[in-house]
Amino acid sequence: RKTFEAVRGAKNVIIHFYNSTSTLQRKVVFKKDMQGIIDIAVAGAKLVRELTEANQSGTNFRYEYSPESFSGTEMDFAVDICHQVMETLGATKENPVILNLPNTVEMCTPNTYADQIEYFIRHLPNRDAAIISVHPHNDRGCGVADAELAVLAGAQRIECCLFGNGERTGNVDAITLAMNMYSHGVDPHLDFSDMPKICEIYERVTRMHVYERTPYAGALVFA
């Protein structure tokens, strides 16, 4: 409810809600079985839809749901809970929901994560009513590989950060990922033509340093 108060008057808003679905967190954090975790997700979806329909500010809302710790979740259960959330939100091909699938603490290798994404996509009912998004972490140092293989497996959207400046050891680096795409003839529609300027702004506003050997942007790239 606070979220909807905060975005009142905004033109375009993504309402992102999530709950953990992994085997371990079901047992340790929630102390619930699979149905109990589904109940949490469906209740959240119902509330979000009610608040959206009650909002008369003219805002264009889009929904996003994450089965947090997706990579530690049984794939059939991940499919089931996401499908029930989609049904509750009334997702359609014309108005799809974003299903965001995190590789939480990067517990999977890139190839395994890609296999999970592919399995999820192949088994998701009403596939056209979803945008498949990925949220790679970088705890194993493989965030870029996670994202690239996930896209090859069918993902359509990637949540990333400049220089990987995300949780713990970071999320996938938007610059490395985009420049890798560009080097293979794929236009990422991001402008990194003035890399030194981007580095300068990043270092100024975050007070962190761009490591000299950072791909594409580090000082030694130009040495």
Side-chain angles (χ1 to χ4, degrees):
R1 295 178 188 277
K2 288 290 186 183
T3 297
F4 278 83
E5 291 176 18
V7 301
R8 185 177 294 121
K11 184 178 180 181
N12 295 299
V13 173
I14 296 174
I15 299 292
H16 184 187
F17 62 104
Y18 60 92
N19 62 301
S20 187
T21 57
S22 70
T23 307
L24 181 63
Q25 292 199 356
R26 290 200 308 266
K27 178 180 178 181
V28 175
V29 178
F30 294 104
K31 297 179 174 60
K32 293 181 181 294
D33 59 11
M34 288 182 176
Q35 187 56 52
I37 299 301
I38 290 173
D39 292 343
I40 292 173
V42 169
K46 285 179 179 176
L47 178 60
V48 165
R49 187 172 183 180
E50 289 170 7
L51 293 172
T52 303
E53 292 172 350
N55 188 295
Q56 300 298 319
S57 64
T59 301
N60 176 38
F61 286 103
R62 169 163 279 173
Y63 302 127
E64 177 173 353
Y65 174 69
S66 292
E68 188 191 2
S69 300
F70 165 80
S71 51
T73 302
E74 304 89 335
M75 286 302 101
D76 288 331
F77 178 54
V79 169
D80 186 23
I81 195 168
C82 287
H83 176 58
Q84 294 201 43
V85 166
M86 289 170 65
E87 294 277 286
T88 305
L89 293 172
T92 63
K93 183 177 181 179
E94 294 70 32
N95 189 26
V97 63
I98 299 167
L99 295 179
N100 188 54
L101 310 176
N103 192 3
T104 303
V105 299
E106 205 183 5
M107 64 187 298
C108 284
T109 58
N111 60 307
T112 302
Y113 185 50
D115 286 345
Q116 291 176 330
I117 300 297
E118 184 176 18
Y119 185 95
F120 180 90
I121 289 172
R122 286 185 173 181
H123 291 82
L124 181 69
N126 201 13
R127 165 69 185 87
D128 288 343
I131 296 169
I132 305 301
S133 172
V134 292
H135 185 95
H137 289 179
N138 199 44
D139 300 74
R140 298 169 56 93
C142 300
V144 170
D146 291 335
E148 290 180 337
L149 290 183
V151 168
L152 291 173
Q156 301 157 275
R157 178 180 184 271
I158 303 166
E159 296 191 343
C160 48
C161 306
L162 284 177
F163 297 108
N165 183 21
E167 307 153 82
R168 297 176 313 279
T169 51
N171 293 80
V172 58
D173 175 13
I175 292 175
T176 302
L177 182 62
M179 293 300 289
N180 280 359
M181 293 170 64
Y182 186 78
S183 72
H184 282 76
V186 179
D187 185 359
H189 298 285
L190 295 172
D191 182 6
F192 293 128
S193 58
D194 191 349
M195 197 70 79
K197 180 66 173 178
I198 292 171
C199 292
E200 184 275 320
I201 294 172
Y202 172 84
E203 292 187 329
R204 173 161 46 84
V205 301
T206 66
R207 290 177 288 176
M208 291 194 289
H209 176 62
V210 175
Y211 176 54
E212 285 76 8
R213 296 194 187 280
T214 298
Y216 299 104
L220 292 180
V221 172
F222 305 102

